[in-house]
Amino acid sequence: MTACPDKAELLHGLLDNELDAAHARALEAHIASCPACAEALAELRALRALLADPALRPKAPAALRSRILADIGAVDPLHPVGKSQGRPWSRQLRRWGGAGMGVAIAASLLLMVAPFGGDAALERELVAGHVRSLQAQHLLDVPTSDHHTVKPWFAGKLDYSPPVPELAAAGFPLQGGRLDYLAGRPVAALVYRHGAHILNLYVWPGDGPRQPAFEARDGYTLMRWRDGGMAYWAVSDVGVEEMHAFAAALAGAVATQNPGKP
């Protein structure tokens, strides 16, 4: 049985705990009255359980492991043969030079950019909102770099108070903020700049992964995480490394503003 077309991708988000509380409750209510979606969710859960079976995970041949470790000059931690064999990683990376380092960095970024499989419709909304803000000259309702001005501007316009950290010291100066409408509700959009690039940071009460998760869509990088009861979505055309630096700077600034808050 096939799930409802507008709910198929949401089922994956529910299974992965990637939906905020409001979306999760709405979807669970729908599933309770929709046999097709209930069966589709059950099939997804059964597939996940099957894939988690250790017996189904193939292991690389020992000869392949040995050959790879020999190629990079590393000591096999499972079969150490003495400190004299194998080069330390830092020394080996220096021997590879620029090209080898580029390959290593690219490989790590491929792991970091693995899709987090969330709400595809929301991701499209976020990208559309980012593009619209740049094209329609509606980037800022309150154009100022003073976070003491931006934060109170949202009072009375939202049913929550978004954190508005200043990140100029980290290379992401605040430009201001605006009201936007996403996921069926008004939300705070904070605008930061990094060189010639604009970062839209959408903030509302919700859930999400604790560590930043990334997605590439239509040429833009999306980053999602949660902190202190708030869901954060950042959208920009900067790279993943810059997005990660932005998340780290934001987390530090929020922690400073709210000491002791989980």
Side-chain angles (χ1 to χ4, degrees), residues 141-142 147-158 177-179:
D141 288 333
V142 51
H147 63 281
H148 294 296
T149 300
V150 177
K151 185 176 178 65
W153 181 86
F154 287 107
K157 300 178 178 67
L158 297 170
R178 71 177 185 279
L179 279 179

Side-chain angles (χ1 to χ4, degrees), residues 13-192:
L14 180 65
L15 190 63
D16 294 333
N17 295 319
E18 294 290 351
L19 299 183
D20 59 59
H23 279 83
R25 285 195 299 269
L27 183 58
E28 287 168 350
H30 171 80
I31 292 170
S33 61
C34 178
C37 286
E39 181 176 337
L41 181 61
E43 290 176 353
L44 287 173
R45 284 174 173 158
L47 178 60
R48 167 170 286 193
L50 183 64
L51 294 176
D53 186 349
L56 298 179
R57 298 176 185 173
K59 293 184 178 179
L64 176 60
R65 178 187 181 87
S66 298
R67 187 162 70 249
I68 292 174
L69 290 170
D71 287 343
I72 64 175
V75 176
D76 188 343
L78 299 180
H79 304 93
V81 291
K83 294 183 178 179
S84 61
Q85 295 192 23
R87 303 183 187 90
W89 276 100
S90 58
R91 192 185 312 163
Q92 183 64 36
L93 288 175
R94 287 196 296 270
R95 287 176 61 87
W96 284 347
M101 181 65 78
V103 172
I105 293 174
S108 66
L109 291 182
L110 286 175
L111 294 176
M112 293 170 61
V113 186
F116 47 75
D119 185 340
L122 177 57
E123 292 166 22
R124 287 192 293 269
E125 275 193 76
L126 288 159
V127 171
H130 176 75
V131 173
R132 185 171 58 248
S133 72
L134 300 178
Q135 293 181 341
Q137 300 301 312
H138 182 55
L139 184 63
L140 299 168
D141 288 333
V142 51
T144 176
S145 60
D146 183 3
H147 63 281
H148 294 296
T149 300
V150 177
K151 185 176 178 65
W153 181 86
F154 287 107
K157 300 178 178 67
L158 297 170
D159 57 1
Y160 63 95
S161 179
V164 185
E166 171 52 63
L167 307 177
F172 300 93
L174 176 68
Q175 303 297 293
R178 71 177 185 279
L179 279 179
D180 215 316
Y181 194 83
L182 293 167
R185 66 170 297 165
V187 301
L190 307 177
V191 181
Y192 293 85

Side-chain angles (χ1 to χ4, degrees), residues 9-10 15 22 53 60 63 88 90 112 117 120 134 137 165 192 207 213 218 222 227 229-230 233-234 245 249 259:
E9 294 192 42
L10 290 175
L15 190 63
D53 186 349
S90 58
M112 293 170 61
L134 300 178
Q137 300 301 312
Y192 293 85
D207 205 351
D218 301 330
L222 290 86
D227 189 12
M230 291 289 177
W233 286 82

Side-chain angles (χ1 to χ4, degrees), residues 12 20 62 125 135 148 176 197 204 216 236 242 256:
H12 290 274
D20 59 59
E125 275 193 76
Q135 293 181 341
H148 294 296
H197 304 278
W204 66 85
S236 182
E242 288 83 357
T256 300

Side-chain angles (χ1 to χ4, degrees), residues 226-251:
R226 78 174 189 272
D227 189 12
M230 291 289 177
Y232 294 85
W233 286 82
V235 186
S236 182
D237 59 352
V238 300
V240 171
E241 288 182 283
E242 288 83 357
M243 275 290 206
H244 216 292
F246 177 70
L250 181 66

